[in-house]
Amino acid sequence: MDYQDTYTQELFDLLFKGKKRELPKTVVDDIKGLYIAAESKDLLSPIVELFKKLLNFAQKDNISPISFGLSKDDLDALAKKHAQLDEHHVTVGGRVFRALKIVDQANERVKYYMENKDIVAPSGIELWEQILKNKERIKKALNISEEEFNTYHGQIKNVIQDVETLAKVIDLPEKAFSDISRVTKKYRMRLTPYYASLIMPNKLDDPVLIQCVPTGEMVDNVGIEIPPVAADHSPARLIDQFYPRVLTIKSTNMCAMYCTHCLRIAHIGKKDRIYKKEAYEEAIDYIRKNENIRDVLITGGDAFVLPNKLIKWILNELDKIDHVKVKRLGTRIPVTTPQRIDNELLDILEESNDKKPLRVVTQINTAQEITPVSQKAFKNISKRVMAVLNQAVLLKGVNDSKEKMWKLCEVIQEAYVRPYYIFNCSFRNPQFAHLRVPIEVGQDIVEGMYGNLSGDAIPRYIATAGGKVPLHRSNIIGRDNGNIILKKPWSGEEVRYPDANEKEYKNRGFSFFKYKK
Ligand SMILES: *Cc1c(COP(=O)(O)O)cnc(C)c1O
Ligand code: SF4
């Protein structure tokens, strides 16, 4: 066994290059004490500690081990003992000289993150006490009992959809309320009392507030509206299909909460609609007749606003089709209204997952949205399905920094959810242009995760551009006039994707900030 490998030889050379010096007795005694422990105990840590200290003396003050009465032979015996005792025969030089240094350097990389993440991006678990206070305030303002607040029915019954109710629940500048009423003539606003309780009071840049309460920009950012029905992507009733083997059933136009950054806002429409049974039957028929289709994503709106019976029926119909091998349900309800996740629903999920793998795909954009309640909902779901995956949207002021996005990925993983995608906020709906983030900001955030987060806490960074196109630097062919030129991996087709406006992005007087006096 080569305990004097090159690292250890280098270490010894460095140690004994130093000079013999007179040192205070306490300093010498400290090292001698360590040496005795290193020699007498069958442990590695005193040996490592001794070598670390000796290395420090040599490197800082050019002091040789001789100063402590330790000879080369003494240390050689310890080096041998270290490699013999270690289960993997790691040498003392390898450990002290290399491994510990690498760990120190690695720690340096996450130092800023570790010091700031809980300040910049507290989770809903960390903010729980304040959220409970918010909840009490909201219950009182809207006259909701504790029992009602804790049921889905109670949440939906007391949903906040107009300025008057909103004003009872959150404190905003006068101008904001008049803008909100302007917006709600064109776009819907809806938040549940639970989701409203996640908003921190008197905080104009609250990341939950930005996601659910619209600001004047939503109507001011007029531009080309996307057509309400994606006729070019819908080969059959309720179906959207870009890909040969994966498609979506847009099962409802309803959500428990409407996001200010919703890409589907045009599908959501102005009114809740209950779809006819025949619509679902025709969608299933299309899937049944097209044998290429392997993976079916039931989305909306929000799939969990559908009644349990209907969810059960759709899943069962899909499970009966041989060529459908996997299924997905798209929902934000565990975040916006976790009270919905009842045992009946969980049983339905498990029953279908037993037949063929079922995933639940959700959208969480900030660590603040993970509370003890939503965490429990996700834990319960994750026990019954193959996986719970998150699709976050990169949003200005919400999650556009390493601290916020890394923290999000870690906190959701701790809530049994796996980061799946991060979408660059799309250019197609001008109403949320003020929330867009430049491509490169997202690249820095996501690429910075490698080596610093667990591999399965790292999502893929994606642009929605006629299918999901990766935004890795290597997939960007060029830039032109504020656009990036991307390549669709599956066809080689080039797509132009307008980047966020850099100047607009740097303008911090947006959303609720602009109401600051
Ligand atoms: C997102 C989406 C899918 C699913 O894409 P994956 O990359 O498999 O997650 C399928 N069809 C449509 C229309 C979509 O928007
Ligand atoms: S939950 Fe999804 S579909 Fe519903 S409003 Fe939010 S982004 Fe749009």
Side-chain angles (χ1 to χ4, degrees), residues 46-79:
I47 304 177
V48 170
E49 202 51 38
L50 176 68
F51 273 93
K52 255 169 70 181
K53 284 203 171 164
L54 291 174
L55 178 63
N56 202 30
F57 278 116
Q59 279 178 326
K60 264 177 65 190
D61 298 315
N62 202 27
I63 292 168
S64 152
I66 310 285
S67 318
F68 308 99
L70 298 175
S71 70
K72 231 177 207 172
D73 284 349
D74 293 336
L75 295 187
D76 185 76
L78 286 185

PDB file of all heavy atoms in Angstrom, residues 46-79:
ATOM      1  N   PRO A  46      -7.908  12.705  14.714  1.00  0.00           N
ATOM      2  CA  PRO A  46      -6.758  13.403  15.333  1.00  0.00           C
ATOM      3  C   PRO A  46      -5.557  13.505  14.383  1.00  0.00           C
ATOM      4  O   PRO A  46      -4.826  14.493  14.415  1.00  0.00           O
ATOM      5  CB  PRO A  46      -6.414  12.542  16.548  1.00  0.00           C
ATOM      6  CG  PRO A  46      -7.505  11.561  16.717  1.00  0.00           C
ATOM      7  CD  PRO A  46      -8.266  11.474  15.443  1.00  0.00           C
ATOM      8  N   ILE A  47      -5.365  12.488  13.535  1.00  0.00           N
ATOM      9  CA  ILE A  47      -4.245  12.529  12.576  1.00  0.00           C
ATOM     10  C   ILE A  47      -4.473  13.667  11.587  1.00  0.00           C
ATOM     11  O   ILE A  47      -3.594  14.477  11.307  1.00  0.00           O
ATOM     12  CB  ILE A  47      -4.101  11.177  11.818  1.00  0.00           C
ATOM     13  CG1 ILE A  47      -3.936  10.023  12.815  1.00  0.00           C
ATOM     14  CG2 ILE A  47      -2.947  11.231  10.828  1.00  0.00           C
ATOM     15  CD1 ILE A  47      -3.862   8.641  12.174  1.00  0.00           C
ATOM     16  N   VAL A  48      -5.714  13.731  11.058  1.00  0.00           N
ATOM     17  CA  VAL A  48      -6.054  14.772  10.072  1.00  0.00           C
ATOM     18  C   VAL A  48      -5.897  16.151  10.713  1.00  0.00           C
ATOM     19  O   VAL A  48      -5.307  17.062  10.131  1.00  0.00           O
ATOM     20  CB  VAL A  48      -7.494  14.561   9.548  1.00  0.00           C
ATOM     21  CG1 VAL A  48      -7.956  15.755   8.715  1.00  0.00           C
ATOM     22  CG2 VAL A  48      -7.581  13.278   8.731  1.00  0.00           C
ATOM     23  N   GLU A  49      -6.408  16.270  11.926  1.00  0.00           N
ATOM     24  CA  GLU A  49      -6.334  17.546  12.647  1.00  0.00           C
ATOM     25  C   GLU A  49      -4.884  17.983  12.828  1.00  0.00           C
ATOM     26  O   GLU A  49      -4.534  19.143  12.592  1.00  0.00           O
ATOM     27  CB  GLU A  49      -7.042  17.357  14.001  1.00  0.00           C
ATOM     28  CG  GLU A  49      -7.540  18.621  14.662  1.00  0.00           C
ATOM     29  CD  GLU A  49      -8.372  19.490  13.741  1.00  0.00           C
ATOM     30  OE1 GLU A  49      -9.173  18.953  12.926  1.00  0.00           O
ATOM     31  OE2 GLU A  49      -8.188  20.702  13.830  1.00  0.00           O
ATOM     32  N   LEU A  50      -4.041  17.028  13.232  1.00  0.00           N
ATOM     33  CA  LEU A  50      -2.618  17.330  13.450  1.00  0.00           C
ATOM     34  C   LEU A  50      -1.963  17.809  12.150  1.00  0.00           C
ATOM     35  O   LEU A  50      -1.304  18.845  12.122  1.00  0.00           O
ATOM     36  CB  LEU A  50      -1.897  16.075  13.977  1.00  0.00           C
ATOM     37  CG  LEU A  50      -0.379  16.217  14.153  1.00  0.00           C
ATOM     38  CD1 LEU A  50      -0.050  17.200  15.286  1.00  0.00           C
ATOM     39  CD2 LEU A  50       0.281  14.859  14.439  1.00  0.00           C
ATOM     40  N   PHE A  51      -2.163  17.070  11.089  1.00  0.00           N
ATOM     41  CA  PHE A  51      -1.554  17.449   9.806  1.00  0.00           C
ATOM     42  C   PHE A  51      -2.089  18.805   9.314  1.00  0.00           C
ATOM     43  O   PHE A  51      -1.356  19.591   8.742  1.00  0.00           O
ATOM     44  CB  PHE A  51      -1.771  16.352   8.750  1.00  0.00           C
ATOM     45  CG  PHE A  51      -0.696  15.290   8.791  1.00  0.00           C
ATOM     46  CD1 PHE A  51      -0.856  14.131   9.547  1.00  0.00           C
ATOM     47  CD2 PHE A  51       0.495  15.449   8.076  1.00  0.00           C
ATOM     48  CE1 PHE A  51       0.134  13.151   9.596  1.00  0.00           C
ATOM     49  CE2 PHE A  51       1.487  14.475   8.123  1.00  0.00           C
ATOM     50  CZ  PHE A  51       1.312  13.318   8.888  1.00  0.00           C
ATOM     51  N   LYS A  52      -3.375  19.039   9.531  1.00  0.00           N
ATOM     52  CA  LYS A  52      -3.955  20.317   9.109  1.00  0.00           C
ATOM     53  C   LYS A  52      -3.283  21.484   9.834  1.00  0.00           C
ATOM     54  O   LYS A  52      -2.924  22.498   9.228  1.00  0.00           O
ATOM     55  CB  LYS A  52      -5.459  20.340   9.437  1.00  0.00           C
ATOM     56  CG  LYS A  52      -6.337  20.150   8.213  1.00  0.00           C
ATOM     57  CD  LYS A  52      -7.784  19.903   8.572  1.00  0.00           C
ATOM     58  CE  LYS A  52      -8.512  21.092   9.133  1.00  0.00           C
ATOM     59  NZ  LYS A  52      -9.911  20.767   9.471  1.00  0.00           N
ATOM     60  N   LYS A  53      -3.073  21.281  11.138  1.00  0.00           N
ATOM     61  CA  LYS A  53      -2.473  22.358  11.929  1.00  0.00           C
ATOM     62  C   LYS A  53      -1.013  22.554  11.530  1.00  0.00           C
ATOM     63  O   LYS A  53      -0.543  23.691  11.394  1.00  0.00           O
ATOM     64  CB  LYS A  53      -2.586  22.042  13.419  1.00  0.00           C
ATOM     65  CG  LYS A  53      -3.993  22.273  13.934  1.00  0.00           C
ATOM     66  CD  LYS A  53      -4.037  22.522  15.429  1.00  0.00           C
ATOM     67  CE  LYS A  53      -5.442  22.967  15.822  1.00  0.00           C
ATOM     68  NZ  LYS A  53      -5.690  22.875  17.257  1.00  0.00           N
ATOM     69  N   LEU A  54      -0.312  21.429  11.334  1.00  0.00           N
ATOM     70  CA  LEU A  54       1.100  21.528  10.943  1.00  0.00           C
ATOM     71  C   LEU A  54       1.226  22.221   9.588  1.00  0.00           C
ATOM     72  O   LEU A  54       2.122  23.044   9.377  1.00  0.00           O
ATOM     73  CB  LEU A  54       1.750  20.136  10.897  1.00  0.00           C
ATOM     74  CG  LEU A  54       1.943  19.445  12.255  1.00  0.00           C
ATOM     75  CD1 LEU A  54       2.462  18.022  12.064  1.00  0.00           C
ATOM     76  CD2 LEU A  54       2.882  20.254  13.170  1.00  0.00           C
ATOM     77  N   LEU A  55       0.317  21.890   8.689  1.00  0.00           N
ATOM     78  CA  LEU A  55       0.342  22.502   7.349  1.00  0.00           C
ATOM     79  C   LEU A  55       0.121  24.006   7.463  1.00  0.00           C
ATOM     80  O   LEU A  55       0.785  24.804   6.797  1.00  0.00           O
ATOM     81  CB  LEU A  55      -0.736  21.856   6.475  1.00  0.00           C
ATOM     82  CG  LEU A  55      -0.879  22.417   5.058  1.00  0.00           C
ATOM     83  CD1 LEU A  55       0.387  22.189   4.244  1.00  0.00           C
ATOM     84  CD2 LEU A  55      -2.064  21.774   4.331  1.00  0.00           C
ATOM     85  N   ASN A  56      -0.784  24.361   8.326  1.00  0.00           N
ATOM     86  CA  ASN A  56      -1.075  25.766   8.541  1.00  0.00           C
ATOM     87  C   ASN A  56       0.154  26.527   9.069  1.00  0.00           C
ATOM     88  O   ASN A  56       0.483  27.604   8.584  1.00  0.00           O
ATOM     89  CB  ASN A  56      -2.249  25.862   9.518  1.00  0.00           C
ATOM     90  CG  ASN A  56      -2.970  27.187   9.399  1.00  0.00           C
ATOM     91  OD1 ASN A  56      -2.996  27.777   8.314  1.00  0.00           O
ATOM     92  ND2 ASN A  56      -3.530  27.659  10.491  1.00  0.00           N
ATOM     93  N   PHE A  57       0.841  25.903  10.051  1.00  0.00           N
ATOM     94  CA  PHE A  57       2.072  26.526  10.585  1.00  0.00           C
ATOM     95  C   PHE A  57       3.108  26.676   9.480  1.00  0.00           C
ATOM     96  O   PHE A  57       3.770  27.704   9.364  1.00  0.00           O
ATOM     97  CB  PHE A  57       2.668  25.671  11.719  1.00  0.00           C
ATOM     98  CG  PHE A  57       1.994  25.906  13.044  1.00  0.00           C
ATOM     99  CD1 PHE A  57       1.288  24.902  13.687  1.00  0.00           C
ATOM    100  CD2 PHE A  57       2.091  27.164  13.658  1.00  0.00           C
ATOM    101  CE1 PHE A  57       0.671  25.124  14.915  1.00  0.00           C
ATOM    102  CE2 PHE A  57       1.472  27.395  14.888  1.00  0.00           C
ATOM    103  CZ  PHE A  57       0.763  26.374  15.503  1.00  0.00           C
ATOM    104  N   ALA A  58       3.250  25.654   8.647  1.00  0.00           N
ATOM    105  CA  ALA A  58       4.267  25.671   7.588  1.00  0.00           C
ATOM    106  C   ALA A  58       3.923  26.723   6.538  1.00  0.00           C
ATOM    107  O   ALA A  58       4.785  27.490   6.105  1.00  0.00           O
ATOM    108  CB  ALA A  58       4.384  24.290   6.949  1.00  0.00           C
ATOM    109  N   GLN A  59       2.663  26.763   6.149  1.00  0.00           N
ATOM    110  CA  GLN A  59       2.273  27.670   5.065  1.00  0.00           C
ATOM    111  C   GLN A  59       2.260  29.130   5.518  1.00  0.00           C
ATOM    112  O   GLN A  59       2.653  30.013   4.773  1.00  0.00           O
ATOM    113  CB  GLN A  59       0.897  27.287   4.516  1.00  0.00           C
ATOM    114  CG  GLN A  59       0.983  26.133   3.531  1.00  0.00           C
ATOM    115  CD  GLN A  59      -0.380  25.708   3.006  1.00  0.00           C
ATOM    116  OE1 GLN A  59      -1.367  25.761   3.715  1.00  0.00           O
ATOM    117  NE2 GLN A  59      -0.405  25.252   1.755  1.00  0.00           N
ATOM    118  N   LYS A  60       1.811  29.347   6.754  1.00  0.00           N
ATOM    119  CA  LYS A  60       1.684  30.739   7.189  1.00  0.00           C
ATOM    120  C   LYS A  60       2.998  31.335   7.696  1.00  0.00           C
ATOM    121  O   LYS A  60       3.351  32.455   7.359  1.00  0.00           O
ATOM    122  CB  LYS A  60       0.605  30.841   8.291  1.00  0.00           C
ATOM    123  CG  LYS A  60      -0.749  31.249   7.696  1.00  0.00           C
ATOM    124  CD  LYS A  60      -1.868  31.299   8.720  1.00  0.00           C
ATOM    125  CE  LYS A  60      -1.687  32.374   9.781  1.00  0.00           C
ATOM    126  NZ  LYS A  60      -2.677  32.192  10.870  1.00  0.00           N
ATOM    127  N   ASP A  61       3.713  30.527   8.525  1.00  0.00           N
ATOM    128  CA  ASP A  61       4.885  31.119   9.192  1.00  0.00           C
ATOM    129  C   ASP A  61       6.170  30.350   8.937  1.00  0.00           C
ATOM    130  O   ASP A  61       7.171  30.589   9.619  1.00  0.00           O
ATOM    131  CB  ASP A  61       4.607  31.206  10.704  1.00  0.00           C
ATOM    132  CG  ASP A  61       3.411  32.102  10.995  1.00  0.00           C
ATOM    133  OD1 ASP A  61       3.350  33.188  10.400  1.00  0.00           O
ATOM    134  OD2 ASP A  61       2.529  31.687  11.776  1.00  0.00           O
ATOM    135  N   ASN A  62       6.110  29.400   7.977  1.00  0.00           N
ATOM    136  CA  ASN A  62       7.326  28.663   7.629  1.00  0.00           C
ATOM    137  C   ASN A  62       7.909  27.919   8.838  1.00  0.00           C
ATOM    138  O   ASN A  62       9.111  27.913   9.063  1.00  0.00           O
ATOM    139  CB  ASN A  62       8.333  29.661   7.022  1.00  0.00           C
ATOM    140  CG  ASN A  62       9.366  28.944   6.169  1.00  0.00           C
ATOM    141  OD1 ASN A  62       9.093  27.881   5.620  1.00  0.00           O
ATOM    142  ND2 ASN A  62      10.557  29.507   6.095  1.00  0.00           N
ATOM    143  N   ILE A  63       7.018  27.347   9.631  1.00  0.00           N
ATOM    144  CA  ILE A  63       7.433  26.634  10.863  1.00  0.00           C
ATOM    145  C   ILE A  63       7.435  25.122  10.609  1.00  0.00           C
ATOM    146  O   ILE A  63       6.441  24.577  10.111  1.00  0.00           O
ATOM    147  CB  ILE A  63       6.469  26.972  12.028  1.00  0.00           C
ATOM    148  CG1 ILE A  63       6.633  28.447  12.413  1.00  0.00           C
ATOM    149  CG2 ILE A  63       6.697  26.067  13.221  1.00  0.00           C
ATOM    150  CD1 ILE A  63       5.550  28.964  13.335  1.00  0.00           C
ATOM    151  N   SER A  64       8.537  24.473  10.935  1.00  0.00           N
ATOM    152  CA  SER A  64       8.671  23.022  10.699  1.00  0.00           C
ATOM    153  C   SER A  64       8.108  22.220  11.870  1.00  0.00           C
ATOM    154  O   SER A  64       8.115  22.702  13.020  1.00  0.00           O
ATOM    155  CB  SER A  64      10.152  22.701  10.503  1.00  0.00           C
ATOM    156  OG  SER A  64      10.423  21.375  10.897  1.00  0.00           O
ATOM    157  N   PRO A  65       7.667  20.977  11.648  1.00  0.00           N
ATOM    158  CA  PRO A  65       7.186  20.115  12.741  1.00  0.00           C
ATOM    159  C   PRO A  65       8.259  19.886  13.812  1.00  0.00           C
ATOM    160  O   PRO A  65       7.926  19.576  14.968  1.00  0.00           O
ATOM    161  CB  PRO A  65       6.841  18.791  12.037  1.00  0.00           C
ATOM    162  CG  PRO A  65       6.565  19.170  10.622  1.00  0.00           C
ATOM    163  CD  PRO A  65       7.472  20.323  10.324  1.00  0.00           C
ATOM    164  N   ILE A  66       9.525  20.047  13.422  1.00  0.00           N
ATOM    165  CA  ILE A  66      10.622  19.882  14.385  1.00  0.00           C
ATOM    166  C   ILE A  66      10.430  20.819  15.586  1.00  0.00           C
ATOM    167  O   ILE A  66      10.773  20.474  16.714  1.00  0.00           O
ATOM    168  CB  ILE A  66      11.999  20.213  13.710  1.00  0.00           C
ATOM    169  CG1 ILE A  66      12.155  19.467  12.367  1.00  0.00           C
ATOM    170  CG2 ILE A  66      13.174  19.940  14.648  1.00  0.00           C
ATOM    171  CD1 ILE A  66      12.465  17.985  12.476  1.00  0.00           C
ATOM    172  N   SER A  67       9.824  21.983  15.314  1.00  0.00           N
ATOM    173  CA  SER A  67       9.567  22.963  16.379  1.00  0.00           C
ATOM    174  C   SER A  67       8.714  22.384  17.497  1.00  0.00           C
ATOM    175  O   SER A  67       8.709  22.880  18.611  1.00  0.00           O
ATOM    176  CB  SER A  67       8.863  24.193  15.813  1.00  0.00           C
ATOM    177  OG  SER A  67       9.428  24.581  14.585  1.00  0.00           O
ATOM    178  N   PHE A  68       7.960  21.340  17.164  1.00  0.00           N
ATOM    179  CA  PHE A  68       7.092  20.704  18.180  1.00  0.00           C
ATOM    180  C   PHE A  68       7.674  19.367  18.648  1.00  0.00           C
ATOM    181  O   PHE A  68       6.985  18.581  19.272  1.00  0.00           O
ATOM    182  CB  PHE A  68       5.694  20.471  17.600  1.00  0.00           C
ATOM    183  CG  PHE A  68       5.084  21.702  16.997  1.00  0.00           C
ATOM    184  CD1 PHE A  68       5.131  21.903  15.629  1.00  0.00           C
ATOM    185  CD2 PHE A  68       4.500  22.674  17.801  1.00  0.00           C
ATOM    186  CE1 PHE A  68       4.582  23.036  15.057  1.00  0.00           C
ATOM    187  CE2 PHE A  68       3.949  23.822  17.227  1.00  0.00           C
ATOM    188  CZ  PHE A  68       4.000  24.006  15.862  1.00  0.00           C
ATOM    189  N   GLY A  69       8.923  19.135  18.265  1.00  0.00           N
ATOM    190  CA  GLY A  69       9.583  17.887  18.642  1.00  0.00           C
ATOM    191  C   GLY A  69       9.108  16.698  17.829  1.00  0.00           C
ATOM    192  O   GLY A  69       9.203  15.547  18.261  1.00  0.00           O
ATOM    193  N   LEU A  70       8.543  16.952  16.615  1.00  0.00           N
ATOM    194  CA  LEU A  70       8.060  15.852  15.773  1.00  0.00           C
ATOM    195  C   LEU A  70       9.016  15.642  14.605  1.00  0.00           C
ATOM    196  O   LEU A  70       9.317  16.595  13.864  1.00  0.00           O
ATOM    197  CB  LEU A  70       6.656  16.163  15.244  1.00  0.00           C
ATOM    198  CG  LEU A  70       5.574  16.330  16.318  1.00  0.00           C
ATOM    199  CD1 LEU A  70       4.255  16.765  15.692  1.00  0.00           C
ATOM    200  CD2 LEU A  70       5.389  15.030  17.101  1.00  0.00           C
ATOM    201  N   SER A  71       9.468  14.400  14.457  1.00  0.00           N
ATOM    202  CA  SER A  71      10.418  14.088  13.378  1.00  0.00           C
ATOM    203  C   SER A  71       9.674  13.586  12.148  1.00  0.00           C
ATOM    204  O   SER A  71       8.477  13.283  12.208  1.00  0.00           O
ATOM    205  CB  SER A  71      11.392  13.021  13.851  1.00  0.00           C
ATOM    206  OG  SER A  71      10.689  11.791  13.966  1.00  0.00           O
ATOM    207  N   LYS A  72      10.414  13.476  11.052  1.00  0.00           N
ATOM    208  CA  LYS A  72       9.852  12.920   9.825  1.00  0.00           C
ATOM    209  C   LYS A  72       9.338  11.505  10.069  1.00  0.00           C
ATOM    210  O   LYS A  72       8.266  11.124   9.585  1.00  0.00           O
ATOM    211  CB  LYS A  72      10.934  12.895   8.745  1.00  0.00           C
ATOM    212  CG  LYS A  72      10.467  13.526   7.449  1.00  0.00           C
ATOM    213  CD  LYS A  72      11.578  13.541   6.424  1.00  0.00           C
ATOM    214  CE  LYS A  72      11.295  14.705   5.490  1.00  0.00           C
ATOM    215  NZ  LYS A  72      12.324  15.010   4.539  1.00  0.00           N
ATOM    216  N   ASP A  73      10.089  10.720  10.830  1.00  0.00           N
ATOM    217  CA  ASP A  73       9.683   9.334  11.113  1.00  0.00           C
ATOM    218  C   ASP A  73       8.381   9.280  11.906  1.00  0.00           C
ATOM    219  O   ASP A  73       7.522   8.434  11.641  1.00  0.00           O
ATOM    220  CB  ASP A  73      10.791   8.599  11.893  1.00  0.00           C
ATOM    221  CG  ASP A  73      11.948   8.223  10.975  1.00  0.00           C
ATOM    222  OD1 ASP A  73      11.775   8.342   9.732  1.00  0.00           O
ATOM    223  OD2 ASP A  73      13.010   7.845  11.496  1.00  0.00           O
ATOM    224  N   ASP A  74       8.256  10.188  12.890  1.00  0.00           N
ATOM    225  CA  ASP A  74       7.010  10.241  13.679  1.00  0.00           C
ATOM    226  C   ASP A  74       5.806  10.435  12.745  1.00  0.00           C
ATOM    227  O   ASP A  74       4.802   9.725  12.847  1.00  0.00           O
ATOM    228  CB  ASP A  74       7.029  11.417  14.668  1.00  0.00           C
ATOM    229  CG  ASP A  74       8.074  11.244  15.763  1.00  0.00           C
ATOM    230  OD1 ASP A  74       8.438  10.075  16.027  1.00  0.00           O
ATOM    231  OD2 ASP A  74       8.524  12.267  16.308  1.00  0.00           O
ATOM    232  N   LEU A  75       5.954  11.412  11.851  1.00  0.00           N
ATOM    233  CA  LEU A  75       4.827  11.738  10.976  1.00  0.00           C
ATOM    234  C   LEU A  75       4.614  10.665   9.916  1.00  0.00           C
ATOM    235  O   LEU A  75       3.472  10.381   9.521  1.00  0.00           O
ATOM    236  CB  LEU A  75       5.026  13.107  10.321  1.00  0.00           C
ATOM    237  CG  LEU A  75       5.020  14.297  11.280  1.00  0.00           C
ATOM    238  CD1 LEU A  75       5.049  15.612  10.507  1.00  0.00           C
ATOM    239  CD2 LEU A  75       3.803  14.287  12.204  1.00  0.00           C
ATOM    240  N   ASP A  76       5.703  10.063   9.471  1.00  0.00           N
ATOM    241  CA  ASP A  76       5.600   8.984   8.490  1.00  0.00           C
ATOM    242  C   ASP A  76       4.777   7.820   9.073  1.00  0.00           C
ATOM    243  O   ASP A  76       3.917   7.250   8.398  1.00  0.00           O
ATOM    244  CB  ASP A  76       7.003   8.503   8.106  1.00  0.00           C
ATOM    245  CG  ASP A  76       6.943   7.473   6.988  1.00  0.00           C
ATOM    246  OD1 ASP A  76       6.719   7.895   5.824  1.00  0.00           O
ATOM    247  OD2 ASP A  76       7.060   6.258   7.279  1.00  0.00           O
ATOM    248  N   ALA A  77       5.029   7.525  10.360  1.00  0.00           N
ATOM    249  CA  ALA A  77       4.274   6.448  11.021  1.00  0.00           C
ATOM    250  C   ALA A  77       2.778   6.788  11.056  1.00  0.00           C
ATOM    251  O   ALA A  77       1.922   5.918  10.843  1.00  0.00           O
ATOM    252  CB  ALA A  77       4.810   6.219  12.436  1.00  0.00           C
ATOM    253  N   LEU A  78       2.489   8.070  11.292  1.00  0.00           N
ATOM    254  CA  LEU A  78       1.081   8.482  11.330  1.00  0.00           C
ATOM    255  C   LEU A  78       0.443   8.426   9.937  1.00  0.00           C
ATOM    256  O   LEU A  78      -0.722   8.044   9.796  1.00  0.00           O
ATOM    257  CB  LEU A  78       0.942   9.904  11.887  1.00  0.00           C
ATOM    258  CG  LEU A  78       1.136  10.086  13.391  1.00  0.00           C
ATOM    259  CD1 LEU A  78       0.851  11.530  13.778  1.00  0.00           C
ATOM    260  CD2 LEU A  78       0.222   9.149  14.191  1.00  0.00           C
ATOM    261  N   ALA A  79       1.212   8.806   8.939  1.00  0.00           N
ATOM    262  CA  ALA A  79       0.705   8.763   7.559  1.00  0.00           C
ATOM    263  C   ALA A  79       0.369   7.323   7.180  1.00  0.00           C
ATOM    264  O   ALA A  79      -0.666   7.044   6.552  1.00  0.00           O
ATOM    265  CB  ALA A  79       1.730   9.345   6.599  1.00  0.00           C
TER     266      ALA A  79
END
